[in-house]
Amino acid sequence: MFKSNFLDSADSLGLLQNLNGQNLEITVEALPTRFVYTNQGSTMIFIIAYTVSTLEAIYPEEQNLVITYKLSANGQETKAGRITALNTAMPIKNIWKSTKKFTWMYIDRYDHTMKTLTHDIVRQLQEQL
């Protein structure tokens, strides 16, 4: 996923033109990949009424997208650096959806977050060239 997002962003931002014939080597150091799914519930039944309390949520772990890069020309390294895109993904709670739809909603949100983070990485890389 990172590779295709990176190539899409690099193409849309014109990164290739900024390389001026240099080779770019990228190493992904850290990638947001983990989350915690929780499903807690309780039910209290009284003789004349009942109450139900549930919490279904997904909490993404605080992981940033981090890459290192090296630029080289004619076999000589011309520049190197490290770039971090801050992941600000917030926890989400399930309100009125099935668990399956809620999970798919989170996966769609994760895909969007990865596209945004990768675009930020390419933008920062372009600024450093």
Side-chain angles (χ1 to χ4, degrees), residues 74-123:
N74 300 322
Q76 298 288 351
E77 185 177 301
T78 58
K79 191 169 190 176
R82 180 181 179 103
I83 299 174
T84 301
L86 300 178
N87 184 4
T88 58
M90 301 297 291
I92 56 172
K93 295 179 182 177
N94 188 1
I95 302 174
W96 314 113
K97 294 191 182 303
S98 69
T99 298
K100 181 179 178 180
K101 287 181 181 179
F102 175 59
T103 305
W104 280 109
M105 183 181 75
Y106 175 78
I107 291 170
D108 289 342
R109 186 173 170 182
Y110 173 80
D111 288 344
H112 177 74
T113 298
M114 287 305 301
K115 286 178 185 175
T116 303
L117 291 173
T118 306
H119 189 79
D120 187 36
I121 287 285
V122 173
R123 186 188 50 74

Side-chain angles (χ1 to χ4, degrees), residues 4-53:
S4 63
N5 288 339
F6 186 89
L7 292 173
D8 288 344
S9 291
D11 186 43
S12 68
L13 293 174
L15 181 64
L16 184 61
Q17 290 81 1
N18 289 353
L19 291 177
N20 297 323
Q22 298 182 85
N23 292 322
L24 175 64
E25 179 183 327
I26 294 175
T27 303
V28 178
E29 301 289 331
L31 190 66
T33 57
R34 295 185 306 265
F35 64 89
V36 175
Y37 169 81
T38 184
N39 188 347
Q40 302 170 346
S42 64
T43 304
M44 296 190 330
I45 301 174
F46 300 101
I47 303 228
I48 55 172
Y50 70 93
T51 180
V52 176
S53 171

